Amino acid sequence: MFPILRNPLLFFTFFCIFSIVTAQKVHPLDPLTPFELIQVQTIVKKSFPSSLHNVSFHYVGLDEPDKSLVLSWQSNHHRIDENLSRQAIIIVRIDLKTHEIIVDLSSNSIVLDKVYNGHGYPILNSEEQNAAGNLALAYTPLVASVEKRGLKVEEVVCSPFTIGWYGEKRANREVRVMCYYLDGTINFYMRPIEGITVTVDLDQMKIIAYRDRITVPVPKAEGTDYRESMQKSPFDSKLKGITVVQPDGPSFTIDGHTIRWANWEFHLAFDMRAGPIISLASIYDPEKDENRWVMYRGFISELFVPYMDLTEEWYYRVFFDEGEYGFGLCALPLEPLRDCPENAVFMDGYFSGLDGTPGKISNVFCIFERNAGDIMWRHTETGIPGEVIREVRPEVKLVVRMVSTVGNYDYIVDWEFMQTGTIKVNVGLTGLLEVKGSIYTHKDQIQEEVYGTIVAANTIGVHHDHFLVFHLDLDVDGDANSFIKKNLQTKRDKRSKRRSYWTAISETAKTESDARIQLGSGAAELLVVNPNKKTKLGNCVGYRLIPKSEAVSLLMDDDYAQIRGAFTKYNVWVTPYNKSEKWAGGLYTVQSRGDDTLATWSLRNREVKNKDIVLWYTLGFHHVPYQEDFPIMPTLSSGFELRPSNFFEHNPVLKLKPPKQIYKICPNSSVPPDQ
């Protein structure tokens, strides 16, 4: 799937030379390099030789230094500190046990080796998923079931699904394999073979259960292929060519993993679980002549996708795309001019495979400036006699993009930085529906609950949700912050001819329970402020969360799926900073039981007022499929903003000059030639 870096001994030979040359330039939050990944592989395998142990790698990432050390390093102008040693965290399965290992890369030694005995298992690696699918495909009873349906075995593909937890006292590390049919299309997700369930024990890599329960017609291949080369005329080609021109080059610079653009500076790293991680985001304030802190760390912490079909082959389809499959691990190379515009610059990402060998995802990120004709601010004044005054500033953004394809769905994640000081995050959902084969060819035939929408003949698009939980460690002008909810309340006043008005009533959260919020119950402003820093006018400096989605989970609290994904009950959570509290669904999410999640951490009801706090926002989509989602789904988008609120003394882009505009005069253009 991804290129694997070969000749590890050669890489390791050069590692020492590489380390000497780059030691003074490494940022403490830089992702592990291919050389460091090979170093990790060598150290672990030396400690657990393959001749004596069965070792499989499931996660390798940077074990970032303590936050205080990183901030000290940053404030001391990147002075090398001996306490900022490079360490890696490795999660491996060794002889059927899960080990959490910390490796010190400077001393080439293991400093922690802890066996995990709790509930849940680490991320599945792609090699064992492929092995499980191939095992099922070669299983004689499955072959017989396929032939019984009149299908060709050579046209069948199989894919393993995680099985969750439904009250079992003891559970093996298992997946259930579902199969699909090609034969005339590459869009096999639209041709499920319903009724067959194959259960595979991953540790033993053998089939431990099989059932062929029902026979349902396989949907037809006709109309399912989405490739451009397979479409038949007439085509819709009404749009003329569009190009992006930056004759002077980009306005941003990339120094290693540090990106500087306009008044922004931040660090970008790839993680095989989280995907993009934005760190140390600061903005230059010309009034104060200093870079001011906005966010220490921001990333997607978990992606929860429960399907609503309760039948035997479907009830367990409750996915934690990040903790079970790896959101970064599922990222794919971005295609220039299609995934990203022609002015984009690309960065690569690295991960570890089953045996610890590094793999490379080329073009995993693209960074580009976007000028789409949006307006940053404007006003036309016509109230002065004899004058018309017009001032307009175009909006230019810096975008960091990654696309992760987790099975059938493609997630487009954009982090957008704006000159106003706003950070926007936009998530787009596209790709293929997870559909269910059905006996029905028309809506009028349906008499019972089918858990979805008929989107094509014999095809049900099943109802489901997508919840993306963002970990947002805001450090607004420092790390001592508070969370404020400003409730907009309607009041009556008899002193005026008006009968009502609304006002903002501020509530500062003292503990975690005060900060849990289900959006939609009333109008409110949500802010993270620094109570120790105020503007000249006396307002606390802050940033506010502007959500675009108010969706929360509709599942019952005692549903096993909701117990594991209880962090979706609220849109907003606030916790005190804790380095170990990174993954909202728990560190070991596969077959987890909900005992190590954001919801369980928050039960401690710790103090969050004037503390180093983390804001968690759940971006939710309730997806009722429609026919337009077949055979491939147009992008559905939502997101949120982090917007400065009394952070600056006034409009920070008041003195901003618009970028030089380049016009190419075309026939019928309304742009005057002298502009």
Side-chain angles (χ1 to χ4, degrees):
M1 191 174 188
F2 306 114
I4 300 293
L5 301 180
R6 303 298 179 187
N7 215 341
L9 291 177
L10 182 61
F11 275 104
F12 191 65
T13 301
F14 288 129
F15 175 76
C16 295
I17 299 174
F18 176 83
S19 299
I20 293 170
V21 173
T22 62
Q24 301 301 311
K25 299 181 180 180
V26 173
H27 190 290
L29 298 180
D30 279 354
L32 299 180
T33 66
F35 302 93
E36 289 173 323
L37 293 175
I38 290 169
Q39 187 181 11
V40 165
Q41 179 193 39
T42 303
I43 293 169
V44 172
K45 287 195 167 185
K46 182 179 178 181
S47 300
F48 302 95
S50 57
S51 59
L52 301 175
H53 302 277
N54 181 14
V55 181
S56 62
F57 289 72
H58 293 262
Y59 173 80
V60 180
L62 176 73
D63 183 35
E64 67 264 20
D66 289 341
K67 183 176 179 179
S68 60
L69 295 176
V70 175
L71 293 178
S72 175
W73 174 87
Q74 186 79 357
S75 62
N76 287 319
H77 305 289
H78 304 178
R79 179 178 60 83
I80 297 299
D81 191 319
E82 61 183 8
N83 292 321
L84 280 174
S85 60
R86 294 277 286 174
Q87 293 190 339
I89 179 170
I90 306 101
I91 297 176
V92 291
R93 294 277 291 169
I94 302 174
D95 299 333
L96 307 185
K97 292 182 179 180
T98 300
H99 288 244
E100 183 178 330
I101 296 173
I102 303 293
V103 165
D104 187 288
L105 297 169
S106 58
S107 63
N108 288 307
S109 62
I110 291 177
V111 295
L112 174 70
D113 179 7
K114 180 173 66 177
V115 176
Y116 175 70
N117 293 313
H119 303 302
Y121 298 102
I123 295 172
L124 303 180
N125 57 54
S126 57
E127 291 90 341
E128 64 186 355
Q129 292 181 63
N130 292 335
N134 293 333
L135 185 66
L137 196 54
Y139 191 52
T140 301
L142 175 66
V143 173
S145 293
V146 169
E147 292 176 343
K148 180 182 72 174
R149 287 165 168 77
L151 307 177
K152 307 170 189 174
V153 175
E154 63 271 18
E155 296 288 344
V156 175
V157 294
C158 297
S159 179
F161 291 169
T162 51
I163 64 171
W165 170 70
Y166 296 90
E168 305 90 349
K169 292 184 178 180
R170 180 182 178 277
N172 297 322
R173 200 166 69 97
E174 300 172 5
V175 291
R176 289 197 182 131
V177 178
M178 307 304 296
C179 297
Y180 304 86
Y181 200 51
L182 291 165
D183 198 24
T185 183
I186 49 87
N187 191 352
F188 60 84
Y189 280 107
M190 296 303 110
R191 307 198 73 194
I193 304 173
E194 293 292 342
I196 300 174
T197 303
V198 186
T199 305
V200 176
D201 184 312
L202 290 176
D203 286 330
Q204 300 180 61
M205 198 50 70
K206 74 174 186 178
I207 294 172
I208 58 174
Y210 179 81
R211 188 177 185 192
D212 184 351
R213 187 176 68 91
I214 55 173
T215 300
V216 177
V218 175
K220 296 179 181 179
E222 183 180 358
T224 63
D225 202 319
Y226 48 81
R227 290 174 293 179
E228 182 179 346
S229 61
M230 299 303 292
Q231 306 309 307
K232 298 179 181 179
S233 60
F235 292 95
D236 186 355
S237 57
K238 298 175 183 177
L239 297 181
K240 300 183 186 302
I242 299 176
T243 188
V244 178
V245 178
Q246 287 188 286
D248 301 321
S251 300
F252 61 89
T253 60
I254 301 177
D255 180 10
H257 290 269
T258 297
I259 299 174
R260 297 178 180 89
W261 173 80
N263 41 4
W264 280 104
E265 179 177 325
F266 61 92
H267 183 272
L268 171 64
F270 173 80
D271 180 81
M272 61 186 286
R273 178 164 179 162
I277 297 180
I278 305 291
S279 302
L280 296 174
S282 65
I283 189 166
Y284 177 73
D285 184 344
E287 295 288 325
K288 295 180 178 291
D289 190 26
E290 65 177 343
N291 283 315
R292 301 174 64 190
W293 293 112
V294 176
M295 184 172 70
Y296 178 72
R297 207 109 156 114
F299 57 90
I300 299 173
S301 177
E302 190 52 83
L303 210 171
F304 180 54
V305 188
Y307 282 80
M308 299 299 126
D309 192 310
L310 303 187
T311 55
E312 182 174 324
E313 294 80 21
W314 276 80
Y315 75 89
Y316 59 86
R317 299 193 193 194
V318 176
F319 304 119
F320 292 74
D321 284 347
E322 189 159 309
E324 293 179 337
Y325 299 99
F327 197 62
L329 196 59
C330 293
L332 293 168
L334 296 169
E335 183 179 348
L337 304 182
R338 294 290 182 107
D339 286 316
C340 307
E342 59 189 303
N343 62 328
V345 175
F346 294 86
M347 292 177 63
D348 301 332
Y350 298 91
F351 65 97
S352 291
L354 172 68
D355 67 349
T357 301
K360 175 182 176 181
I361 308 175
S362 300
N363 296 354
V364 71
F365 298 140
C366 69
I367 303 101
F368 59 93
E369 291 164 286
R370 175 189 286 153
N371 181 357
D374 297 325
I375 296 172
M376 181 189 298
W377 63 262
R378 81 171 319 280
H379 180 63
T380 301
E381 183 56 71
T382 59
I384 302 174
E387 292 192 57
V388 175
I389 300 170
R390 181 174 63 247
E391 287 286 324
V392 184
R393 298 295 183 272
E395 184 79 83
V396 181
K397 308 173 185 178
L398 183 74
V399 181
V400 176
R401 173 172 295 169
M402 191 193 85
V403 175
S404 182
T405 300
V406 190
N408 53 303
Y409 263 100
D410 292 56
Y411 295 91
I412 306 163
V413 179
D414 284 357
W415 287 81
E416 300 180 351
F417 294 83
M418 305 169 68
Q419 291 171 284
T420 56
T422 295
I423 300 174
K424 280 188 177 182
V425 178
N426 192 72
V427 177
L429 277 60
T430 180
L432 311 171
L433 293 174
E434 184 76 31
V435 303
K436 179 181 180 180
S438 170
I439 62 173
Y440 301 115
T441 59
H442 194 279
K443 184 177 184 295
D444 292 347
Q445 300 169 344
I446 302 173
Q447 300 298 320
E448 80 277 10
E449 174 66 80
V450 293
Y451 307 104
T453 305
I454 184 167
V455 294
N458 304 116
T459 308
I460 301 294
V462 178
H463 298 153
H464 59 284
D465 296 318
H466 302 261
F467 294 109
L468 296 97
V469 186
F470 284 82
H471 174 287
L472 304 167
D473 182 3
L474 298 181
D475 283 357
V476 180
D477 244 6
D479 58 6
N481 287 180
S482 294
F483 178 70
I484 292 178
K485 180 182 180 183
K486 288 187 177 182
N487 296 294
L488 307 187
Q489 296 182 1
T490 302
K491 292 195 172 184
R492 181 179 293 276
D493 193 325
K494 297 180 180 180
R495 296 173 296 177
S496 171
K497 293 182 179 180
R498 286 274 301 279
R499 295 186 175 182
S500 64
Y501 71 104
W502 63 259
T503 188
I505 308 297
S506 294
E507 297 178 0
T508 301
K510 295 180 180 179
T511 64
E512 291 175 273
S513 61
D514 297 335
R516 299 176 199 143
I517 295 173
Q518 279 189 348
L519 298 174
S521 57
E525 297 275 292
L526 308 174
L527 298 98
V528 173
V529 304
N530 188 327
N532 313 296
K533 301 282 185 70
K534 295 185 179 182
T535 64
K536 294 177 182 177
L537 299 178
N539 293 310
C540 291
V541 301
Y543 261 72
R544 71 183 186 270
L545 171 69
I546 304 178
K548 292 183 182 178
S549 166
E550 298 179 351
V552 294
S553 178
L554 302 178
L555 300 178
M556 295 181 177
D557 289 346
D558 63 349
D559 188 333
Y560 288 109
Q562 184 61 23
I563 291 171
R564 299 176 67 215
F567 49 84
T568 60
K569 184 174 182 177
Y570 298 98
N571 300 97
V572 177
W573 306 71
V574 175
T575 62
Y577 172 80
N578 185 324
K579 178 183 173 181
S580 67
E581 295 178 0
K582 294 175 62 175
W583 312 114
L587 179 58
Y588 300 102
T589 315
V590 175
Q591 295 169 239
S592 62
R593 301 190 181 184
D595 52 7
D596 177 31
T597 69
L598 170 59
T600 56
W601 308 332
S602 186
L603 290 175
R604 287 175 279 179
N605 204 23
R606 296 161 291 184
E607 292 185 1
V608 295
K609 183 178 179 181
N610 202 13
K611 302 284 186 182
D612 188 358
I613 58 177
V614 176
L615 176 69
W616 306 76
Y617 171 62
T618 301
L619 172 64
F621 299 79
H622 296 306
H623 192 176
V624 177
Y626 294 93
Q627 286 182 237
E628 289 82 358
D629 296 335
F630 178 90
I632 190 165
M633 176 182 157
T635 301
L636 174 67
S637 298
S638 190
F640 63 92
E641 292 185 31
L642 298 170
R643 189 178 180 96
S645 303
N646 297 326
F647 186 81
F648 298 103
E649 293 293 339
H650 52 73
N651 181 345
V653 289
L654 180 65
K655 300 179 181 180
L656 186 72
K657 289 186 177 182
K660 180 181 178 182
Q661 300 295 319
I662 305 296
Y663 296 104
K664 182 179 179 182
I665 306 302
C666 302
N668 303 319
S669 172
S670 60
V671 179
D674 59 351
Q675 295 188 25

